[in-house]
Every structure is written in C-alpha cells, then in structure tokens.
Amino acid sequence: MANFLKVLTGPRKPTINVVRMTGVIQAANSPRHQLINFERFNKPLERAFRAHNVKAVALEINSRGGSATQSNLIWKRVRQLKKETGVPVVAFLEDVAASGGYYLACSADKIVADENSMIGSIGVIFASFGAKEAISKLGLERRVYTAGESKAMLDPFSDEKKEDVEKINELLLHCHENFISVVEKSRG
C-alpha cells in the first residue's frame, strides 16, 4: 500500500517546518492567552525536527519575554534536537523578540529580523511592591506563620530585609550571567 501511495503522490519534497512561538513565556497554560512554555512546545518541536525529509526548522518568534526557566528549557531542547538530527534552525523575529524572546532566538543557527523589530533586552527582572503602610492606614494587621527559612522573603506587607534583597540580587545575577553565556555561545 505504501508503495502504491508513493506512486500516486511521488517522492516527498524537502520541507522547512515552521514552529510559531507567540506570546508571553511562562509555565502555566491558559486557554485565553497565547503562552510559550516547554510543556506546550516540546512535542511540536520534536515533530518539526523529526519529520521526513525536513531540511530546516524555522522558529517564528514574537515575544517580549517572560520566564527565564521556560526560555532556557526551550533553548536547550532546540539545541538538543538540532544536535541529534543535524537539522539547521533559523529564527525569524517579528514585532518583538525581547528578553526571553531573544533567548529563544539564540537557539538558532541564524537570526533574521525586520529592521523595525524590537530585539534584545539581555537582562533579568524581579518586581515587587511594598504595601505595609497602606494596610496600616486601612487598619489591617498582617499575620504570617511559617516553618522554614526565608518562607516570607520579600513579603510586601512587611519591612524589606537587607538579606532578602541580597538573596534576590544573587539569583538575578545568576540568571543574567546564564543569559549572557547563552548569547555568547549562540552568537559568538
């Protein structure tokens, strides 16, 4: 039967498989928002690289970034599949490929972008707020019970502690150094 189908359809032409990555990079999936994460893209990437007669994989990226961990997991998976299959990768950057979006692009052999695309932002951010005075003015009292060290680190309803800020800065620095290393390895 397979030979009969080949006679009818002819030999399969070489293909370039496209994987579209659009949205915020974060672990949780949402039916209402386009998200990029390892869980959602692992199988499509596998299919793209292992398809019959594939000559290249194109990553179409449009993301302002998000989770450093999810970006790294996808970056590693693309690099692993590229190594296993020998299939080259080209990243096409659309409107924006900032931070994690650029991190994803670094998994490619070549990056192509429009001159108006916003690209880059090799950095890491952690945002929080302090609301201790606000809840006090409302007559509210915060009660936190923990077991274990640093469980209430950077609680927005408590005073900021120097050691908590130092720990967060250490974590941010580690992620930033890893990001720079990925860019250096990829873009060398």
Side-chain angles (χ1 to χ4, degrees), residues 66-180:
S67 165
T69 301
Q70 292 300 313
S71 300
N72 193 51
L73 288 170
I74 294 169
W75 176 83
K76 287 194 288 190
R77 185 63 174 143
V78 170
R79 301 283 284 203
Q80 176 190 19
L81 289 165
K82 184 170 67 165
K83 184 178 179 181
E84 289 174 3
T85 64
V87 174
V89 181
V90 179
F92 293 91
L93 310 184
E94 293 185 333
D95 298 322
V96 63
S99 196
Y102 184 67
Y103 201 120
L104 298 175
C106 286
S107 66
D109 300 299
K110 182 174 176 120
I111 296 175
V112 179
D114 185 82
E115 62 269 16
N116 292 317
S117 298
M118 290 186 266
I119 301 166
S121 184
I122 302 168
V124 183
I125 186 171
F126 176 86
S128 184
F129 61 91
K132 183 180 177 194
E133 289 182 32
I135 66 165
S136 177
K137 286 180 183 179
L138 293 171
L140 301 173
E141 179 185 341
R142 173 95 165 139
R143 295 182 186 138
V144 178
Y145 308 99
T146 66
E149 191 177 324
S150 301
K151 296 312 269 182
M153 183 169 51
L154 296 178
D155 178 349
F157 302 107
S158 300
D159 289 325
E160 189 174 65
K161 296 177 188 168
K162 182 180 175 186
E163 59 270 14
D164 290 350
V165 173
E166 289 172 356
K167 180 65 176 171
I168 289 296
N169 283 330
E170 285 176 27
L171 294 169
L172 290 172
L173 182 60
H174 172 76
C175 287
H176 189 231
E177 288 171 348
N178 187 49
F179 195 167
I180 291 169

